[in-house]
Amino acid sequence: LGSFLDLCGVYQAQGRVEDLIRTASEGIKRFPAERRFYLTVANHAGRNGQYERAIEVFGEAHGRWPQDVQFKDGLASAHLYLGMQRLDKGQNEEAERHLRQTVTLSERDVDARLNLGRALHNLNRSIEAEQEFDRVIALDPKAPLARFHRGMVRQALGDLDAAIADLSEEIRQNPAYPPSYFSRGKAY
């Protein structure tokens, strides 16, 4: 174990990232009780947008050490970023799955709840979406775009007065976001 950790330290000091990750990955296989190997591999994967790999490694580590906040938070973040990536690509079912994992791991994550609400709205599950936006606003009344998205959902549900109220509040808080004006105009 000591020689693997020393080798990782040398590679890190020399900036030899590929060698570091290869050695830390081998360290996970040979020494599965050493947390530092998991952190090295998973954090590197997350920083490089390899969210599936980060989820795999953080997930394994979280399973081994469920009380370790670093692994739980890392796993939640990897699910969040993968969910947002899927949402941006219009893969709403995949986005929902990953964002739901995030809120399971981190109930107070405003970004995860906001994006989960967006995915649910895109999936035409407006009641659930509205509930997520309610949670976002309860957690952070000034969360950017929360009232915009809830206003859009309320408009889709036909509750135009509530939609106008949300969109007006979004405009008050964030006057530089043109879609709020457009959506409020449609609601009027």
Side-chain angles (χ1 to χ4, degrees):
L1 173 64
S3 60
F4 262 78
L5 291 171
D6 291 343
L7 191 55
C8 283
V10 168
Y11 289 149
Q12 186 172 12
Q14 294 175 347
R16 294 171 55 184
V17 176
E18 287 183 27
D19 292 326
L20 170 63
I21 299 308
R22 188 180 66 252
T23 303
S25 295
E26 185 62 28
I28 289 172
K29 293 176 193 170
R30 291 186 185 203
F31 309 101
E34 178 52 56
R35 297 171 190 225
R36 288 173 282 187
F37 294 133
Y38 294 89
L39 283 172
T40 299
V41 173
N43 282 329
H44 178 275
R47 280 192 303 272
N48 287 292
Q50 301 166 342
Y51 304 122
E52 291 96 344
R53 177 70 172 142
I55 288 168
E56 174 189 333
V57 177
F58 275 130
E60 184 179 336
H62 180 60
R64 287 181 176 278
W65 301 286
Q67 302 307 317
D68 190 314
V69 175
Q70 292 179 96
F71 295 130
K72 182 180 178 183
D73 290 349
L75 182 58
S77 292
H79 276 293
L80 172 63
Y81 291 122
L82 185 57
M84 289 171 54
Q85 184 182 73
R86 296 294 190 254
L87 186 60
D88 290 343
K89 291 180 178 178
Q91 300 168 344
N92 296 304
E93 290 168 352
E94 276 290 302
E96 181 208 356
R97 187 170 64 82
H98 288 290
L99 294 165
R100 212 169 273 290
Q101 279 296 115
T102 305
V103 299
T104 298
L105 293 163
S106 182
E107 291 180 17
R108 300 184 60 78
D109 190 314
V110 171
D111 288 333
R113 290 206 175 273
L114 180 74
N115 286 291
L116 176 57
R118 290 177 56 216
L120 291 166
H121 181 62
N122 292 347
L123 291 166
N124 296 315
R125 292 165 53 191
S126 298
I127 304 274
E128 291 174 80
E130 184 179 30
Q131 291 169 346
E132 283 305 321
F133 295 131
D134 289 344
R135 288 181 187 106
V136 169
I137 293 166
L139 290 168
D140 181 0
K142 295 184 188 265
L145 301 180
R147 292 184 190 275
F148 168 78
H149 289 294
R150 188 172 73 177
M152 297 296 293
V153 168
R154 288 177 166 176
Q155 189 171 356
L157 290 169
D159 190 352
L160 298 181
D161 290 337
I164 290 167
D166 272 339
L167 293 164
S168 294
E169 181 59 22
E170 185 66 40
I171 289 167
R172 190 186 70 69
Q173 289 181 16
N174 184 10
Y177 190 65
S180 296
Y181 295 92
F182 177 74
S183 296
R184 185 175 68 174
K186 282 178 44 180
Y188 277 127

